[in-house]
Amino acid sequence: MSGIRPTGFLHLGNYFGALRNYVRMQEEYECFFMVADLHSLTTHPDTKELKLNVHRVLSENIASGLDPDKVALYCQSHIHETAELYLYLNMLAYKGELEKTATFKDKVRQQPDNSNAGLLTYPVLQTADIIIHRASLVPVGKDQEQHLEMARNFVNRFNHRYGDVFPEPQAFNYGSELVKVPSLDGSGKMSKSENQNATLFLSDDDELVRKKVMKAKTDSGPLEKNSQKPGYIENIFLLMKLVSSDDTIKKFEEDFNNCTIRYGDMKKQLAEDMVKFITPIRQKAEAIRNDEKYLKFIMEKGAEKANKSAKATMELVRQAIGLNYY
Ligand code: ADP
């Protein structure tokens, strides 16, 4: 189970941190993937563009390879039981631990005039989203590691108090570790809301991709053979590893180690490989986004599957808590 907020176009971080794993998991597991529209209200209270953004995220999920016949692809707000489970979990979440969450502290810094309770309890709602399907594997990027640790704490408290209802959810990735796709300016991660010029979106046209990649921070090259790469150069290699061939990467690694690397050439190659990767997804997503009837059908079908699973879980939860008086 996993989700992505409809707060803008998806980017390479969303793809390689999350979506790529979703697409592989659909062949092996029973999967639930949602557009996290309720979570977006914590930072984007203005809902004028919400519908458009929900349609965008759905389209980009499908264009990236998710098959709505194989998975439940749905909208968070269509599953009302999640709100009930969120309420119960709130009684098991402590103010101190919520205030210490890194993402809460970041968001309060970013929006000091709107440090709302939804932001504080974001990890609680996220836990409810996951365990409403009693899911155990949660494909996410590295930035979500702490939230998953909190989810395990809430689950263990619930199970300890009311009996074993939920499996412990784990952050999941097909690689050896969780992914963090760095931003092109060498600082922080690619993100929908921050640093838009240093983030490659799945919706960027070819020229924009080239422009952004060519602006990535470099320097005049290494002075000593086999030296350590500065962080911003390491990031360019990391991005290359996502989309370029092994031979290409090997060539630039050798050039770096011999001090013959030309970063302009490296960025040109990276830009072309990015264009090759992004273009088909962008074109497919555009076509799907224009088909509102199809998107409505997908959302209804997804909600039906997710509601069935949520209702079954809530029967167990109410029973376990003791909310069964007749
Ligand atoms: P954003 O931070 O762009 O608003 P979300 O919070 O909706 O994105 O995150 C959706 C998914 O994408 C999560 O699983 C998150 O871990 C993953 N993700 C977001 N940015 C990155 C990144 N730069 N690298 C790896 N994974 C990322």
Side-chain angles (χ1 to χ4, degrees):
M1 192 285 150
S2 197
I4 299 184
R5 292 183 304 151
T7 48
F9 286 105
L10 301 194
H11 52 81
L12 283 192
N14 299 131
Y15 183 88
F16 287 103
L19 273 169
R20 178 172 60 168
N21 293 293
Y22 300 2
V23 172
R24 246 178 100 176
M25 287 177 91
Q26 71 184 345
E27 308 300 335
E28 285 179 58
Y29 300 97
E30 185 189 358
C31 296
F32 295 88
F33 297 120
M34 66 171 197
V35 182
D37 55 344
L38 299 179
H39 280 293
S40 69
L41 297 177
T42 58
T43 52
H44 294 62
D46 183 349
T47 53
K48 270 201 295 295
E49 298 207 346
L50 189 56
K51 181 177 172 187
L52 181 69
N53 279 333
V54 167
H55 285 185
R56 276 177 181 164
V57 175
L58 278 174
S59 311
E60 288 177 326
N61 270 278
I62 300 167
S64 299
L66 265 199
D67 180 347
D69 284 333
K70 291 187 181 154
V71 305
L73 179 59
Y74 64 99
C75 237
Q76 183 185 27
S77 60
H78 291 161
I79 314 303
H80 299 162
E81 279 77 5
T82 311
E84 185 187 344
L85 183 54
Y86 168 58
L87 186 144
Y88 302 145
L89 291 177
N90 268 320
M91 319 300 183
L92 300 169
Y94 303 116
K95 181 172 159 273
E97 66 186 336
L98 295 171
E99 280 171 344
K100 272 197 299 201
T101 315
T103 45
F104 174 67
K105 288 199 274 188
D106 280 352
K107 290 285 182 316
V108 168
R109 253 195 308 273
Q110 285 161 17
Q111 51 181 63
D113 297 334
N114 185 19
S115 50
N116 59 76
L119 269 186
L120 183 69
T121 57
Y122 194 113
V124 185
L125 180 55
Q126 189 178 30
T127 305
D129 295 324
I130 297 166
I131 68 176
I132 196 87
H133 305 301
R134 300 170 75 219
S136 42
L137 300 182
V138 187
V140 284
K142 189 152 180 61
D143 56 318
Q144 291 291 329
E145 214 164 22
Q146 189 183 23
H147 288 178
L148 263 295
E149 200 181 309
M150 295 175 82
R152 284 193 289 282
N153 288 336
F154 302 147
V155 159
N156 285 329
R157 278 177 216 157
F158 185 99
N159 286 346
H160 182 70
R161 183 165 292 270
Y162 299 118
D164 262 341
V165 173
F166 299 111
E168 271 194 1
Q170 309 286 342
F172 179 78
N173 182 297
Y174 277 100
S176 52
E177 46 188 272
L178 297 179
V179 171
K180 174 186 162 188
V181 178
S183 71
L184 285 164
D185 64 4
S187 69
K189 59 163 195 150
M190 286 197 187
S191 157
K192 283 197 226 95
S193 31
E194 297 153 58
N195 245 347
Q196 304 218 336
N197 284 327
T199 293
L200 291 170
F201 292 92
L202 298 176
S203 57
D204 284 347
D205 67 34
D206 299 357
E207 274 324 295
L208 192 53
V209 171
R210 290 190 181 105
K211 212 166 109 189
K212 286 182 180 175
V213 173
M214 292 314 288
K215 275 204 181 141
K217 181 175 173 180
T218 51
D219 53 31
S220 52
L223 299 172
E224 276 175 44
K225 287 192 173 184
N226 300 315
S227 53
Q228 209 185 340
K229 297 184 188 97
Y232 48 91
I233 298 296
E234 189 70 72
N235 285 350
I236 297 182
F237 273 96
L238 209 152
L239 291 168
M240 203 165 219
K241 281 183 191 137
L242 299 175
V243 292
S244 302
S245 72
D246 291 348
D247 286 348
T248 303
I249 296 157
K250 194 163 158 246
K251 175 201 157 3
F252 287 106
E253 287 281 3
E254 281 169 8
D255 288 354
F256 180 86
N257 287 331
N258 295 331
C259 303
T260 54
I261 191 156
R262 292 161 58 137
Y263 289 130
D265 290 349
M266 182 178 184
K267 288 196 280 187
K268 260 189 214 144
Q269 178 70 49
L270 177 62
E272 289 320 307
D273 291 340
M274 282 290 177
V275 164
K276 246 188 255 156
F277 176 79
I278 290 174
T279 304
I281 299 181
R282 182 189 68 234
Q283 288 170 343
K284 206 165 161 202
E286 272 167 14
I288 298 168
R289 206 170 63 237
N290 291 329
D291 191 348
E292 281 209 23
K293 233 166 98 187
Y294 172 68
L295 289 173
K296 181 168 179 280
F297 170 74
I298 295 301
M299 275 188 276
E300 281 170 358
K301 204 164 83 167
E304 201 180 304
K305 291 186 209 168
N307 266 316
K308 198 166 154 218
S309 153
K311 282 190 170 38
T313 301
M314 289 315 290
E315 290 288 323
L316 297 176
V317 169
R318 292 182 205 115
Q319 191 80 23
I321 299 182
L323 297 164
N324 47 333
Y325 311 127
Y326 31 63

